[in-house]
Protein backbone atom coordinates (compact mmCIF):
# COMPACT_ATOMS: atom_id res chain seq x y z
CA UNK A 1 0.00 0.00 0.00
CA UNK A 2 1.12 3.51 -0.84
CA UNK A 3 -0.66 6.73 0.12
CA UNK A 4 -0.33 10.48 0.00
CA UNK A 5 -0.35 13.01 2.82
CA UNK A 6 -4.05 13.89 2.38
CA UNK A 7 -4.92 10.23 2.98
CA UNK A 8 -2.89 10.26 6.20
CA UNK A 9 -4.58 13.49 7.27
CA UNK A 10 -8.01 12.04 6.53
CA UNK A 11 -7.33 8.88 8.56
CA UNK A 12 -5.22 10.36 11.32
CA UNK A 13 -6.26 7.56 13.69
CA UNK A 14 -4.28 4.96 11.68
CA UNK A 15 -1.53 7.18 10.30
CA UNK A 16 1.08 5.66 12.62
CA UNK A 17 0.44 2.19 11.17
CA UNK A 18 0.85 3.24 7.56
CA UNK A 19 4.05 1.82 6.08
CA UNK A 20 4.98 1.11 2.46
CA UNK A 21 3.88 -2.38 1.48
CA UNK A 22 1.34 -2.95 4.26
CA UNK A 23 -1.74 -4.77 2.84
CA UNK A 24 -4.94 -2.75 2.57
CA UNK A 25 -6.89 -5.43 4.44
CA UNK A 26 -4.42 -5.25 7.30
CA UNK A 27 -5.05 -1.53 7.70
CA UNK A 28 -8.80 -2.23 7.92
CA UNK A 29 -8.29 -4.91 10.55
CA UNK A 30 -6.07 -2.62 12.62
CA UNK A 31 -8.78 0.05 12.58
CA UNK A 32 -11.44 -2.43 13.61
CA UNK A 33 -9.36 -4.02 16.33
CA UNK A 34 -8.39 -0.70 17.88
CA UNK A 35 -11.91 0.63 17.75
CA UNK A 36 -10.53 3.69 16.01
CA UNK A 37 -12.30 3.23 12.69
CA UNK A 38 -14.08 6.39 11.72
CA UNK A 39 -16.92 4.77 9.82
CA UNK A 40 -20.18 3.71 11.41
CA UNK A 41 -19.83 -0.10 11.54
CA UNK A 42 -22.79 -2.07 12.97
CA UNK A 43 -21.22 -5.51 12.27
CA UNK A 44 -17.41 -5.68 11.93
CA UNK A 45 -17.15 -9.05 10.15
CA UNK A 46 -19.90 -8.23 7.66
CA UNK A 47 -18.43 -4.78 7.08
CA UNK A 48 -14.91 -6.19 6.41
CA UNK A 49 -16.20 -8.83 3.98
CA UNK A 50 -18.32 -6.30 2.09
CA UNK A 51 -15.49 -3.77 1.98
CA UNK A 52 -12.94 -6.24 0.57
CA UNK A 53 -15.45 -7.61 -1.95
CA UNK A 54 -15.94 -4.12 -3.37
CA UNK A 55 -12.18 -3.53 -3.26
CA UNK A 56 -11.64 -6.53 -5.55
CA UNK A 57 -14.21 -5.38 -8.12
CA UNK A 58 -12.90 -3.77 -11.34
CA UNK A 59 -14.67 -0.55 -10.41
CA UNK A 60 -16.62 0.30 -7.26
CA UNK A 61 -18.07 3.44 -5.74
CA UNK A 62 -19.94 3.94 -2.50
CA UNK A 63 -20.74 6.58 0.08
CA UNK A 64 -20.02 6.08 3.77
CA UNK A 65 -20.93 8.16 6.81
CA UNK A 66 -18.32 8.78 9.50
CA UNK A 67 -18.95 8.81 13.22
CA UNK A 68 -18.33 12.55 13.33
CA UNK A 69 -21.08 13.13 10.77
CA UNK A 70 -18.86 13.54 7.73
CA UNK A 71 -19.60 11.69 4.50
CA UNK A 72 -16.87 10.17 2.29
CA UNK A 73 -17.16 8.80 -1.20
CA UNK A 74 -14.94 5.81 -2.01
CA UNK A 75 -13.84 5.39 -5.62
CA UNK A 76 -11.80 2.17 -6.15
CA UNK A 77 -10.47 0.96 -9.49
CA UNK A 78 -8.32 -2.10 -10.31
CA UNK A 79 -5.16 -1.54 -12.34
CA UNK A 80 -3.94 -3.81 -15.18
CA UNK A 81 -1.12 -5.19 -12.99
CA UNK A 82 -3.56 -6.46 -10.36
CA UNK A 83 -3.27 -3.55 -7.95
CA UNK A 84 -5.88 -0.96 -7.09
CA UNK A 85 -6.15 2.80 -6.89
CA UNK A 86 -8.46 4.25 -4.26
CA UNK A 87 -9.64 7.84 -4.03
CA UNK A 88 -11.39 9.24 -0.95
CA UNK A 89 -13.47 12.40 -1.35
CA UNK A 90 -15.09 14.33 1.48
CA UNK A 91 -18.67 14.94 0.25
CA UNK A 92 -20.05 16.25 3.55
CA UNK A 93 -21.01 19.64 2.07
CA UNK A 94 -22.68 17.93 -0.89
CA UNK A 95 -24.67 15.69 1.46
CA UNK A 96 -25.65 18.72 3.51
CA UNK A 97 -26.97 20.46 0.41
CA UNK A 98 -28.85 17.32 -0.56
CA UNK A 99 -30.42 17.21 2.89
CA UNK A 100 -31.41 20.85 2.64
CA UNK A 101 -32.96 20.18 -0.74
CA UNK A 102 -34.77 17.17 0.70
CA UNK A 103 -36.13 19.30 3.52
CA UNK A 104 -37.17 22.01 1.09
CA UNK A 105 -38.90 19.48 -1.17
CA UNK A 106 -39.95 16.31 0.63
CA UNK A 107 -40.69 17.91 3.99
CA UNK A 108 -42.22 21.10 2.55
CA UNK A 109 -45.85 21.50 3.70
CA UNK A 110 -46.72 22.94 0.27
CA UNK A 111 -47.50 20.42 -2.51
CA UNK A 112 -44.54 20.35 -4.90
CA UNK A 113 -44.02 18.59 -8.23
CA UNK A 114 -40.89 18.26 -10.35
CA UNK A 115 -41.58 17.65 -14.02
CA UNK A 116 -39.80 17.27 -17.34
CA UNK A 117 -39.73 20.64 -19.06
CA UNK A 118 -40.56 19.17 -22.47
CA UNK A 119 -43.17 16.42 -22.05
CA UNK A 120 -44.33 17.73 -18.63
CA UNK A 121 -44.29 14.23 -17.10
CA UNK A 122 -44.07 14.27 -13.31
CA UNK A 123 -40.64 13.11 -12.14
CA UNK A 124 -40.97 13.68 -8.39
CA UNK A 125 -43.74 14.54 -5.95
CA UNK A 126 -43.35 15.41 -2.30
CA UNK A 127 -45.47 14.02 0.53
CA UNK A 128 -47.71 17.10 0.62
CA UNK A 129 -48.52 16.65 -3.09
CA UNK A 130 -49.47 12.99 -2.56
CA UNK A 131 -51.80 14.02 0.26
CA UNK A 132 -53.28 16.93 -1.67
CA UNK A 133 -54.08 14.99 -4.85
CA UNK A 134 -54.86 11.72 -3.08
CA UNK A 135 -52.92 9.46 -5.45
CA UNK A 136 -50.44 6.72 -4.71
CA UNK A 137 -46.91 7.77 -5.63
CA UNK A 138 -46.69 5.36 -8.59
CA UNK A 139 -50.01 6.63 -9.98
CA UNK A 140 -49.09 10.30 -9.64
CA UNK A 141 -45.65 9.76 -11.21
CA UNK A 142 -47.36 8.23 -14.25
CA UNK A 143 -49.19 11.51 -14.93
CA UNK A 144 -48.31 14.85 -16.50
CA UNK A 145 -48.66 18.01 -14.42
CA UNK A 146 -51.58 19.20 -16.53
CA UNK A 147 -53.61 16.00 -16.05
CA UNK A 148 -55.13 17.23 -12.77
CA UNK A 149 -56.54 20.40 -14.33
CA UNK A 150 -60.25 20.81 -14.86
CA UNK A 151 -61.60 20.23 -18.33
CA UNK A 152 -60.54 22.93 -20.77
CA UNK A 153 -57.64 24.21 -18.65
CA UNK A 154 -55.04 21.47 -19.08
CA UNK A 155 -54.03 22.41 -22.62
CA UNK A 156 -53.75 26.10 -21.76
CA UNK A 157 -51.59 25.32 -18.70
CA UNK A 158 -49.37 22.97 -20.72
CA UNK A 159 -48.85 25.59 -23.42
CA UNK A 160 -47.76 28.16 -20.84
CA UNK A 161 -45.25 25.75 -19.30
CA UNK A 162 -43.73 24.78 -22.66
CA UNK A 163 -43.28 28.45 -23.58
CA UNK A 164 -41.76 29.34 -20.21
CA UNK A 165 -38.31 30.89 -20.46
CA UNK A 166 -37.87 31.81 -16.81
CA UNK A 167 -39.44 31.61 -13.36
CA UNK A 168 -43.18 32.25 -13.25
CA UNK A 169 -44.99 33.92 -10.37
CA UNK A 170 -48.52 32.63 -9.85
CA UNK A 171 -51.15 35.00 -11.20
CA UNK A 172 -53.80 32.73 -12.69
CA UNK A 173 -56.17 30.78 -10.46
CA UNK A 174 -56.52 27.28 -11.92
CA UNK A 175 -59.09 24.61 -11.14
CA UNK A 176 -57.73 21.16 -10.36
CA UNK A 177 -59.36 17.87 -9.39
CA UNK A 178 -58.12 15.31 -6.88
CA UNK A 179 -58.35 11.53 -7.07
CA UNK A 180 -61.74 11.74 -5.32
CA UNK A 181 -63.05 14.23 -7.86
CA UNK A 182 -62.95 17.18 -5.47
CA UNK A 183 -62.26 20.50 -7.18
CA UNK A 184 -59.74 22.96 -5.79
CA UNK A 185 -58.74 26.46 -6.87
CA UNK A 186 -54.95 26.74 -6.94
CA UNK A 187 -52.13 29.15 -7.67
CA UNK A 188 -49.06 27.49 -9.19
CA UNK A 189 -45.55 28.92 -8.79
CA UNK A 190 -43.05 27.62 -11.36
CA UNK A 191 -39.25 27.59 -11.19
CA UNK A 192 -37.17 26.74 -14.25
CA UNK A 193 -34.23 24.44 -13.43
CA UNK A 194 -31.57 22.62 -15.45
CA UNK A 195 -30.21 19.16 -14.69
CA UNK A 196 -27.24 19.24 -17.04
CA UNK A 197 -28.84 19.90 -20.41
CA UNK A 198 -32.24 18.65 -19.24
CA UNK A 199 -34.93 21.26 -18.70
CA UNK A 200 -36.88 20.78 -15.46
CA UNK A 201 -39.80 22.64 -13.91
CA UNK A 202 -40.44 22.82 -10.16
CA UNK A 203 -44.09 23.53 -9.36
CA UNK A 204 -45.35 24.70 -5.98
CA UNK A 205 -49.12 24.48 -5.60
CA UNK A 206 -51.02 26.81 -3.27
CA UNK A 207 -54.62 25.85 -2.50
CA UNK A 208 -56.63 29.09 -2.48
CA UNK A 209 -60.09 27.49 -2.55
CA UNK A 210 -61.15 29.06 0.74
CA UNK A 211 -60.06 32.49 -0.45
CA UNK A 212 -61.84 32.13 -3.81
CA UNK A 213 -65.05 30.96 -2.12
CA UNK A 214 -64.84 33.78 0.41
CA UNK A 215 -64.33 36.34 -2.35
CA UNK A 216 -67.23 34.87 -4.32
CA UNK A 217 -69.45 35.00 -1.25
CA UNK A 218 -68.39 38.58 -0.48
CA UNK A 219 -69.12 39.54 -4.08
CA UNK A 220 -72.49 37.81 -3.92
CA UNK A 221 -73.39 39.59 -0.70
CA UNK A 222 -72.35 42.92 -2.20
CA UNK A 223 -74.71 42.42 -5.13
CA UNK A 224 -77.55 40.45 -3.55
CA UNK A 225 -80.14 41.07 -0.89
CA UNK A 226 -79.25 39.08 2.21
CA UNK A 227 -82.86 38.32 3.17
CA UNK A 228 -84.30 37.11 -0.15
CA UNK A 229 -81.14 36.21 -2.06
CA UNK A 230 -82.34 38.38 -4.97
CA UNK A 231 -80.06 40.87 -6.76
CA UNK A 232 -80.05 44.14 -4.82
CA UNK A 233 -80.56 47.72 -6.02
CA UNK A 234 -76.92 48.11 -7.08
CA UNK A 235 -77.01 44.92 -9.13
CA UNK A 236 -80.34 45.90 -10.69
CA UNK A 237 -78.98 49.24 -11.88
CA UNK A 238 -75.82 47.58 -13.18
CA UNK A 239 -77.95 45.15 -15.20
CA UNK A 240 -80.13 48.02 -16.42
CA UNK A 241 -77.07 49.94 -17.62
CA UNK A 242 -75.87 46.87 -19.50
CA UNK A 243 -79.32 46.37 -21.06
CA UNK A 244 -79.40 50.00 -22.25
CA UNK A 245 -75.93 49.78 -23.80
CA UNK A 246 -76.39 50.48 -27.55
CA UNK A 247 -73.61 48.01 -28.36
CA UNK A 248 -75.95 45.25 -27.14
CA UNK A 249 -78.28 45.75 -30.12
CA UNK A 250 -81.67 47.32 -30.51
CA UNK A 251 -85.06 46.42 -29.03
CA UNK A 252 -86.89 47.41 -25.87
CA UNK A 253 -85.89 47.50 -22.23
CA UNK A 254 -88.87 47.09 -19.92
CA UNK A 255 -88.82 47.92 -16.20
CA UNK A 256 -91.50 46.64 -13.83
CA UNK A 257 -91.58 48.40 -10.45
CA UNK A 258 -93.49 46.41 -7.82
CA UNK A 259 -94.69 47.47 -4.38
CA UNK A 260 -96.50 45.16 -1.99
CA UNK A 261 -100.05 46.11 -0.95
CA UNK A 262 -100.93 45.63 2.70
CA UNK A 263 -97.46 44.66 3.85
CA UNK A 264 -97.04 47.22 6.65
CA UNK A 265 -99.86 45.69 8.76
CA UNK A 266 -98.07 42.34 8.52
CA UNK A 267 -95.12 43.70 10.50
CA UNK A 268 -97.39 45.57 12.89
CA UNK A 269 -99.71 42.61 13.53
CA UNK A 270 -97.55 39.50 13.22
CA UNK A 271 -94.07 40.89 13.91
CA UNK A 272 -90.96 41.50 11.84
CA UNK A 273 -89.99 37.81 11.75
CA UNK A 274 -93.26 37.03 9.96
CA UNK A 275 -92.69 40.04 7.71
CA UNK A 276 -89.23 38.78 6.78
CA UNK A 277 -90.67 35.37 5.92
CA UNK A 278 -93.31 37.01 3.69
CA UNK A 279 -90.57 38.92 1.86
CA UNK A 280 -88.59 35.70 1.30
CA UNK A 281 -91.64 33.92 -0.11
CA UNK A 282 -92.47 36.99 -2.19
CA UNK A 283 -89.08 36.75 -3.83
CA UNK A 284 -89.69 33.09 -4.67
CA UNK A 285 -93.13 33.79 -6.16
CA UNK A 286 -91.88 36.69 -8.26
CA UNK A 287 -88.96 34.63 -9.56
CA UNK A 288 -91.40 31.93 -10.62
CA UNK A 289 -93.71 34.43 -12.32
CA UNK A 290 -90.85 36.27 -14.07
CA UNK A 291 -89.91 33.22 -16.12
CA UNK A 292 -86.14 33.68 -15.92
CA UNK A 293 -86.00 37.48 -16.15
CA UNK A 294 -84.03 39.39 -13.53
CA UNK A 295 -85.96 40.00 -10.29
CA UNK A 296 -84.42 42.36 -7.73
CA UNK A 297 -85.31 43.63 -4.29
CA UNK A 298 -84.76 47.39 -4.23
CA UNK A 299 -85.41 47.72 -0.51
CA UNK A 300 -88.23 47.31 2.01
CA UNK A 301 -91.21 45.87 0.16
CA UNK A 302 -90.11 47.27 -3.22
CA UNK A 303 -89.11 44.92 -6.02
CA UNK A 304 -88.28 45.30 -9.69
CA UNK A 305 -88.17 43.11 -12.79
CA UNK A 306 -85.98 43.83 -15.81
CA UNK A 307 -86.79 42.53 -19.30
CA UNK A 308 -84.94 43.04 -22.57
CA UNK A 309 -87.05 42.15 -25.60
CA UNK A 310 -87.33 42.56 -29.35
CA UNK A 311 -91.13 42.70 -29.09
CA UNK A 312 -93.70 44.60 -27.02
CA UNK A 313 -93.74 45.04 -23.25
CA UNK A 314 -95.16 41.82 -21.80
CA UNK A 315 -98.18 42.80 -19.72
CA UNK A 316 -98.90 39.10 -19.14
CA UNK A 317 -95.84 39.06 -16.89
CA UNK A 318 -97.52 41.70 -14.70
CA UNK A 319 -100.72 39.62 -14.64
CA UNK A 320 -98.74 36.56 -13.55
CA UNK A 321 -97.11 38.53 -10.73
CA UNK A 322 -100.49 39.75 -9.45
CA UNK A 323 -101.93 36.23 -9.75
CA UNK A 324 -98.99 34.89 -7.70
CA UNK A 325 -100.38 36.70 -4.64
CA UNK A 326 -103.90 35.25 -4.87
CA UNK A 327 -102.94 32.48 -2.47
CA UNK A 328 -102.26 33.70 1.07
CA UNK A 329 -98.90 33.12 2.72
CA UNK A 330 -98.88 30.49 5.48
CA UNK A 331 -96.44 31.60 8.17
CA UNK A 332 -96.30 29.37 11.28
CA UNK A 333 -99.92 28.43 10.90
CA UNK A 334 -101.05 31.98 10.16
CA UNK A 335 -102.73 32.90 6.86
CA UNK A 336 -101.41 36.24 5.60
CA UNK A 337 -102.85 37.87 2.49
CA UNK A 338 -101.21 40.73 0.62
CA UNK A 339 -101.26 42.03 -2.96
CA UNK A 340 -98.92 43.83 -5.33
CA UNK A 341 -99.15 46.98 -7.44
CA UNK A 342 -97.00 47.24 -10.56
CA UNK A 343 -95.80 50.11 -12.72
CA UNK A 344 -94.43 49.38 -16.19
CA UNK A 345 -92.25 51.52 -18.48
CA UNK A 346 -90.56 50.50 -21.71
CA UNK A 347 -88.00 52.36 -23.77
CA UNK A 348 -85.92 51.83 -26.85
CA UNK A 349 -82.34 50.86 -26.12
CA UNK A 350 -81.13 53.55 -28.50
CA UNK A 351 -81.21 57.00 -26.93
CA UNK A 352 -82.66 56.11 -23.51
CA UNK A 353 -81.21 56.49 -20.03
CA UNK A 354 -81.91 54.51 -16.90
CA UNK A 355 -83.10 57.35 -14.66
CA UNK A 356 -85.79 58.44 -17.10
CA UNK A 357 -86.95 54.85 -17.52
CA UNK A 358 -87.08 54.05 -13.78
CA UNK A 359 -88.84 57.31 -12.99
CA UNK A 360 -91.44 56.51 -15.64
CA UNK A 361 -92.02 53.07 -14.09
CA UNK A 362 -92.37 54.72 -10.66
CA UNK A 363 -95.03 57.10 -11.98
CA UNK A 364 -96.92 54.17 -13.44
CA UNK A 365 -96.71 52.43 -10.04
CA UNK A 366 -98.21 55.48 -8.31
CA UNK A 367 -101.09 55.35 -10.79
CA UNK A 368 -101.67 51.67 -10.04
CA UNK A 369 -101.78 52.47 -6.32
CA UNK A 370 -104.16 55.35 -6.90
CA UNK A 371 -106.44 53.21 -9.08
CA UNK A 372 -107.20 50.71 -6.35
CA UNK A 373 -103.99 48.68 -5.86
CA UNK A 374 -103.37 45.05 -6.76
CA UNK A 375 -103.21 46.03 -10.43
CA UNK A 376 -100.72 47.29 -12.99
CA UNK A 377 -100.42 50.41 -15.12
CA UNK A 378 -98.11 51.33 -17.99
CA UNK A 379 -96.79 54.87 -18.46
CA UNK A 380 -97.48 57.20 -21.37
CA UNK A 381 -94.66 59.57 -22.22
CA UNK A 382 -93.75 61.69 -25.19
CA UNK A 383 -90.14 61.33 -24.08
CA UNK A 384 -90.23 57.65 -24.97
CA UNK A 385 -92.05 57.21 -28.31
CA UNK A 386 -91.44 53.46 -28.19
CA UNK A 387 -93.69 53.07 -25.11
CA UNK A 388 -96.80 50.95 -25.39
CA UNK A 389 -99.73 53.22 -24.56
CA UNK A 390 -101.20 52.94 -21.09
CA UNK A 391 -104.19 50.68 -20.66
Amino acid sequence: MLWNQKYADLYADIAEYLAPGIPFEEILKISLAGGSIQEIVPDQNAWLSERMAKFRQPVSQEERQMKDGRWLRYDDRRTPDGGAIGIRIDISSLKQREEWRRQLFDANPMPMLLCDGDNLKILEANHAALQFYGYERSVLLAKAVCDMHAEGQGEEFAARLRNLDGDCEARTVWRQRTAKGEEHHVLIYVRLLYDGSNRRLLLTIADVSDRVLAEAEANRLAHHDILTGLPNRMQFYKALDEALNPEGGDGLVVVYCLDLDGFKPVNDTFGHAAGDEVLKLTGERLRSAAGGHLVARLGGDEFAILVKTQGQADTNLADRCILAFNEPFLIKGLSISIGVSIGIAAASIIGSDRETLVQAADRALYRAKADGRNTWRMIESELMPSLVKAS
Side-chain angles (χ1 to χ4, degrees):
M1 178 175 173
L2 296 175
W3 65 97
N4 63 7
Q5 185 59 45
K6 285 187 177 295
Y7 185 90
D9 293 341
L10 186 62
Y11 295 101
D13 54 310
I14 59 169
E16 62 179 299
Y17 301 106
L18 296 177
I22 187 171
F24 177 64
E25 186 174 5
E26 186 67 24
I27 290 295
L28 299 181
K29 289 180 178 179
I30 292 173
S31 296
L32 289 172
S36 59
I37 190 166
Q38 298 184 48
E39 291 186 19
I40 298 174
V41 181
D43 185 313
Q44 292 189 2
N45 292 329
W47 177 87
L48 182 60
S49 297
E50 178 187 353
R51 187 71 193 85
M52 292 307 300
K54 290 185 176 180
F55 177 73
R56 295 186 180 99
Q57 293 176 2
V59 176
S60 70
Q61 186 181 89
E62 64 176 327
E63 296 176 355
R64 292 281 185 173
Q65 187 175 21
M66 305 295 106
K67 293 177 181 178
D68 60 6
R70 291 179 302 147
W71 280 85
L72 299 183
R73 189 176 74 199
Y74 296 172
D75 287 309
D76 292 321
R77 188 180 304 273
R78 303 298 292 187
T79 60
D81 61 359
I85 296 177
I87 300 175
R88 306 294 179 258
I89 305 173
D90 189 333
I91 59 170
S92 302
S93 60
L94 176 62
K95 280 293 189 179
Q96 183 63 64
R97 289 195 296 272
E98 289 178 351
E99 176 62 18
W100 289 339
R101 284 197 296 269
R102 189 193 70 79
Q103 290 292 335
L104 289 172
F105 185 77
D106 292 338
N108 197 307
M110 298 283 286
M112 300 182 77
L113 301 171
L114 181 68
C115 77
D116 186 287
D118 296 322
N119 60 31
L120 305 184
K121 293 293 185 181
I122 299 174
L123 303 175
E124 292 291 344
N126 68 354
H127 181 67
L130 297 177
Q131 286 190 316
F132 179 70
Y133 292 112
Y135 290 106
E136 294 291 335
R137 177 177 292 276
S138 59
V139 176
L140 188 59
L141 295 186
K143 294 180 176 292
V145 290
C146 51
D147 288 346
M148 284 79 74
H149 277 64
E151 186 176 355
Q153 291 194 351
E155 292 182 1
E156 180 185 353
F157 182 64
R160 291 195 188 185
L161 291 185
R162 290 193 179 97
N163 294 327
L164 200 65
D165 57 4
D167 295 344
C168 176
E169 295 297 329
R171 297 182 184 274
T172 302
V173 176
W174 302 95
R175 290 181 294 115
Q176 289 191 326
R177 290 195 176 92
T178 66
K180 295 181 179 180
E182 299 171 343
E183 186 169 282
H184 291 265
H185 293 82
V186 300
L187 290 172
I188 301 178
Y189 300 83
V190 185
R191 294 291 177 265
L192 178 60
L193 309 172
Y194 284 95
D195 182 9
S197 61
N198 297 317
R199 186 170 177 269
R200 302 285 186 250
L201 298 174
L202 180 63
L203 280 62
T204 303
I205 295 92
D207 186 359
V208 293
S209 301
D210 290 343
R211 191 190 81 184
V212 170
L213 293 175
E215 289 175 351
E217 179 62 12
N219 184 65
R220 188 191 70 81
L221 293 175
H223 295 87
H224 288 75
D225 173 54
I226 296 177
L227 180 63
T228 63
L230 295 174
N232 58 16
R233 179 184 293 271
M234 181 172 66
Q235 185 67 5
F236 173 77
Y237 277 112
K238 180 181 177 182
L240 181 56
D241 286 338
E242 292 174 354
L244 290 171
N245 188 341
E247 295 181 1
D250 55 8
L252 288 181
V253 174
V254 187
V255 171
Y256 301 74
C257 285
L258 303 91
D259 189 84
L260 300 183
D261 297 325
F263 177 73
K264 186 177 183 303
V266 174
N267 281 332
D268 295 341
T269 304
F270 302 107
H272 288 282
D276 287 347
E277 192 63 28
V278 168
L279 291 173
K280 291 180 186 177
L281 296 174
T282 293
E284 294 176 6
R285 292 190 184 187
L286 291 179
R287 259 197 304 246
S288 177
H293 296 297
L294 184 144
V295 180
R297 183 187 178 203
L298 304 185
D301 60 349
E302 299 178 22
F303 296 81
I305 299 175
L306 177 63
V307 175
K308 185 176 179 180
T309 178
Q310 294 295 319
Q312 298 289 320
D314 183 10
T315 57
N316 289 330
L317 191 156
D319 289 330
R320 292 196 301 272
C321 289
I322 292 172
L323 185 62
F325 289 84
N326 281 357
E327 291 292 327
F329 294 94
L330 295 177
I331 310 296
K332 294 183 179 180
L334 300 172
S335 179
I336 300 176
S337 296
I338 60 173
V340 64
S341 295
I342 305 172
I344 309 170
S348 170
I349 293 175
I350 307 300
S352 299
D353 68 88
R354 75 177 190 183
E355 295 303 329
T356 302
L357 182 56
V358 172
Q359 289 172 9
D362 278 337
R363 290 198 300 274
L365 173 61
Y366 297 147
R367 282 185 51 192
K369 290 281 190 182
D371 290 347
R373 302 172 181 266
N374 205 37
T375 187
W376 61 264
R377 291 292 181 265
M378 187 178 292
I379 195 68
E380 293 183 40
S381 174
E382 295 180 357
L383 297 176
M384 286 175 275
S386 59
L387 287 177
V388 178
K389 297 300 181 181
S391 301

